[in-house]
Amino acid sequence: NCSDLGRIVVNADNPVYDSRNNCNAIIETASNKLITGCMNTVVPNTVTSIGNAAFYRCEGLTSIKVPNSVTEIGEDAFERCISLNCVNIGNSVKTIGESAFYKCSSLTSISLDCGVETIDSWAFEDCIALKDFYCFAENIPTIGSDIFSGVNLRSATLHVPAAYLEAYSAKSPWKIFGQIVPIGEGDGIEQVRGNTNSTNQIVYDLNGRRTTMMQKGINILRDADGRIKKVLRK
């Protein structure tokens, strides 16, 4: 309930916990689990899980990037983070715990990468501002009960890989979304030049499959803040 806590530092001599890379969090050193965060936490790419209630009622938190090293987001991890508006979940996360984002009432955009396998009950309950839900998983995740309870899905858009549009459209709760579109549809197309890919961007082809680098033609990019756009590489 420390809603505006901005800085956390663990003494370097602490044998059990650390706050590596000035991350503004408490990490259990032996397990690499982030157990307590604050509004200015940057999750290090050595963390393997986000603990239960790690950011509970962190009302000053506005966005979070869960890096590819993390495989699990615990129960109530971001519950009642009422200012959180954008979540970018890395491709190694397999499980999102019960009520993980419960009552994140400002959350407008959620992006799940291809690794997600299980979304437990009430994970996104009462995320009443939700407009765009991106799910890159080719295998539709196993879900608990009422993961979108309290959310008006008919006013939201589900973005999924083009090849799996029909599968998502036939299964609850995904089929309840007002629109179900291929990933990248409706995003602006920009021209890019050169051969360098930003390390802060993830690249997909038009079917939503992740690739190692941009190809000539249209690519889909997801940046560090979870924003999706199409780009044309000449």
Side-chain angles (χ1 to χ4, degrees), residues 83-116:
S83 299
L84 184 63
N85 58 60
C86 182
V87 175
N88 183 0
I89 297 175
N91 62 14
S92 296
V93 171
K94 298 183 182 300
T95 302
I96 298 174
E98 287 187 2
S99 302
F101 295 93
Y102 173 65
K103 283 192 180 295
C104 290
S105 55
S106 297
L107 193 55
T108 60
S109 177
I110 301 166
S111 181
L112 306 184
D113 215 315
C114 54
V116 65

Side-chain angles (χ1 to χ4, degrees), residues 72-87:
E72 180 181 5
I73 297 175
E75 297 178 5
D76 311 306
F78 296 93
E79 181 175 335
R80 299 177 189 268
C81 291
I82 59 174
S83 299
L84 184 63
N85 58 60
C86 182
V87 175

Side-chain angles (χ1 to χ4, degrees), residues 5 22 33 35 43 57 69 92 109 114 128 132 191 202 226:
L5 182 65
N22 298 314
K33 176 187 286 189
I35 62 171
V43 183
R57 236 170 187 160
S69 58
S92 296
S109 177
C114 54
I128 57 176
D132 291 285
Q191 291 187 4
I202 301 174

